[in-house]
Structure formats: structure tokens, C-alpha cells
Amino acid sequence: MNRYDINRRRALTLLVAGSASVAAGVTGWVTGLGAPGGKPAWVQSGQPLTEPAVLGGHAGALEVSLTAAAGAPIAGHASAALGFNATSPGPTLRVHPGDVLKVRLINRLTQPTNLHTHGLHVSPQGNGDNPFVSIAPGAAFDYEFAIPEGHPSGTFWYHPHHHPFVADQLFGGLAGALIVDGGPDLGVGAERIMLVSDITLDDNGGVAAVNAMERMMGRQGQLVLVNGQHQPLISAEPGVAQRWRLINACTSRVLSIHLEGHRLTHIARDGYFLPSPLELDRIALAPGNRADLVITPAAPGRYTLITEPYDRGNLGMGMGGMGGMCGMGSAAASGPITLGTVEVSGPSRPATPVPNALPAPQLPTGAVTVQRTLTFAMQMGMMQGGMMSFTIDGKGFDPQRIDQSVRLDSTEEWLVSNTSSLAHPFHLHVWPVQVLATSDDPTPEPTLRDVVLVPPRGWARLRIQFADFAGRSVYHCHILDHEDAGMMGTVQAAHS
Ligand code: C2O
Ligand code: CU
Ligand code: CU
């Protein structure tokens, strides 16, 4: 039992065999606030899995143009969802360590926007991975991301990061995969990128508006999609291993991935390899997390890929009377959701095992010079307009303020504590973190990551090396409704 597997104290009892959950699994439709139980007729399900267009893939510079606009199809149906270059997810960007990635972002939205390369270890300054950039509706901006030679090869992603519109824009459909190529030969027969997102569309194909309660819990969409498709069919051959690059691009939903009849071979988290593969029955992914898995298809047949219910906690005391209204945010209200079906067919072949040693990153070295505590809190007392306050160290986000000053190239330990009864996925830009322990799990992780779920009324202890890049960036809750409500702070790395 460890953090790579789902936390059993948080996991609700699996109900796969129960008839109610089988029904939920079959429709894959999440019943939400006032929503009818059935899946809308326009939702197309069970099509072969497709992947977004790929841009790049060869060494050298990659120069692309991304237009953010409404009008991307969802689940095979025209909609007013948001997309990059008219698709949701947007095109997959493939680069190599040492490449320069140039992106012209054209804003055809009705709100300001910008672009974040989630997880990349690149400069946060100027036209780099700078979350303070603002691109007005109708305007364009030229980004340049210089990816260092030694950058890990792995699964990353991109999405808008303009405070306070991030939840609306991601939920609307704006996200895409960003793959840094290279890394060991895993001997797999196929590779799939699977970006999981959720969305709720209204009867006119528009993205549903959310109420104050959904903003507080973090909105969860009624349709859970893989690469913008509803319950696609994933073809496989017995014994022929597949590498899956899973990305949790949901605004607030924690995924707990399980494939019927199979074990998952976990090889990388958030773009960083584990030292050796880990066999799991299920893997939990907080919003923003990625997992690279190797799946070795079993005997011919159909196997359901599901996300199990995950209890993110609740809004805390005083909200008891609204318990029923929290249904959308509470995993207790829904059973497992079908993400897709793996269809295994063809002659059986002997399976090739995954290499036993993987290129895990170097963990933070050097003496820990500074220890900090960051406190994530939610308060009813400061409730305004029906919203509670979402703070870090008692403060809401202020882009002008520097909340943490760190010395470039130093190693620090951060204790992220959570006084609320809801789990918050802590995320830091630019500099990956090593999880030393959480209140649920004392085991130090043997690799790095960039999002860690801080348990309700719990904590996470992190070691961070502020290497390579000076400049100012942010850390925040990756329940993006919380980030938009102010649960974000700034960190500046500078010499001396
Ligand atoms: Cu994926 Cu600051 O975000
Ligand atoms: Cu990020
Ligand atoms: Cu949060």
C-alpha cells in the first residue's frame, strides 16, 4: 500500500459487482445537480479511440500556432466547447530535450487567456512559461520555451492559466498533451496518449454554467471523456504491451483508474520515471497529474476501463444542510464511471516484460537551507456572495505580491498543510518536488512529481530544489475553481 496506489482510507468500497454501479458504469453518465439520469441522445459512445493531431516529433525547433476559440466538437457532436485549432483536446505537441518550442497563441475567446506548459522545467520569465502574461480577446502572443538538454523525457500538458478564468477555460475544453520524447526503449507494441477531461454541456451545446456550490467543491462535469470521446474503444492484441500516457485534465475530479482483468504497470508519474516498474490494481490521479502505464493485454475479450469513486472530502461543518447539494462534488454520490473499453483480439503472443531499471531523476541534493509551512484554508466566515474564502497563509492571490523568496539553486523543505475538510491538489510550476511524506503515507517517493494531493485536515512534506531558472512563478491548488477563487501564491527564485 503506497501513494502510487489509491489510498484505501479514501477509496470507497468498489461496487463494480453491484447492479447500481454496473448501470452507472454502462451509461458512464454522472447524475448531477438536477440532471436527468440518462445520457443525452447526441452523445456518441464506443467509437475507436483517436488521438489529437500531432505537431512536431522530430528533433530541433518546433514552431506552432494555436488558436483558442469556441466551436470544438465533443463526443462526436458539434458544440460550443472551447478548443485549440478547433479541437478539444488541442494538438499534441512533441518536442525533444534541447528543443526550442515556439507557440503563437491566438485568442479568439471572449475572455483574456494565456498558456502554461504544465510540468515543464523551463524559465518562467518573459515570453517563457509565464503565468502573468495576459492576452486580450482578439490578440496574439509569441511564446518561446527553451527546453534544457537534460530535461526529462515524459508526459506533460498545456492549458490556459489566466487568473481567474482558468477553471472556465479548462472545463470548456482548452487542454492538450505535451510530450518530451526520448527515454528508454520499453519494448511496447503501441503507445497511446489518453487525456481525460470532464465537461457539462447544456441542451444547446453550450458549456454549462456553474453555481457557487460547484465552485466551492470544484466543478465536476457530467461527461467524462478520453481525448474528447465518450467511452472509446481501445484495440489491443494479447501479449502486445501498450504504453498509456494518461493525463488528468479534469478541472477538479480525482481519477482512480482501474482496468478490468488487468494489472497496471506504473512506470512514470508527472513526466518523471520511477526507478523500477510498479504493479498496481489502480492508480489515483489528482487534477493535473499524469501517469505512464504499461498495459499487457490478457486473453481476447472486452475489458472495461473505469475511474472509481474517490472521496475528496466535503465543505466542512455548517454545510450539513447542503449535503444533498454537494452530490456533484462528492464521490459518494456516484459509482464508477466507464472511461472506455479495451477490446483484445488476435493471436496470443508471449509478453515482453518492461525493463527492470528505469531512468528515475536525481532527487534533490544539497543541504536543506530553508523550511517553510504553507497553510491551505477554506473559511465560511469570510463568505461573500455565497462563496467561502480559499486562502494560502490567510491570503488570496495577488499577482503583485511575492509570497515566497527562494535562493536560486538552494534546496528547501515545504510543509503544505490543509486545515479544511476537502483535499487540495498542491501544484508548483517550473520546479518539480519530491514528496517526503504525507499525513496518509510516510513513505518518501523515489521520484519527482508536480501535483500532490494534500489530504483533508492533513499535510504533505516536500523537498524542492530551486535549480536552473530564476524568476517568478506560482504554486496553487489544482482544483482550478479554488485557484480562481484565490488559492494561489507567487514564488520568486533569485541569486543570493
Ligand atoms: Cu496545470 Cu498552474 O497549472
Ligand atoms: Cu502547472
Ligand atoms: Cu483546493
Side-chain angles (χ1 to χ4, degrees), residues 116 118 157 159 161 427 429 476 478:
H116 169 48
H118 180 128
W157 63 299
H159 63 81
H161 214 288
H427 172 52
H429 287 205
H476 57 87
H478 217 290

Side-chain angles (χ1 to χ4, degrees), residues 38 50-51 55 62 96 119 133 168 252 310 319 372 400 475:
T50 58
E51 289 185 24
L55 303 177
L62 175 63
H96 289 77
V133 165
D168 280 346
S252 317
Y310 190 95
M319 302 301 286
R372 302 172 196 257
Q400 309 302 331
Y475 51 86

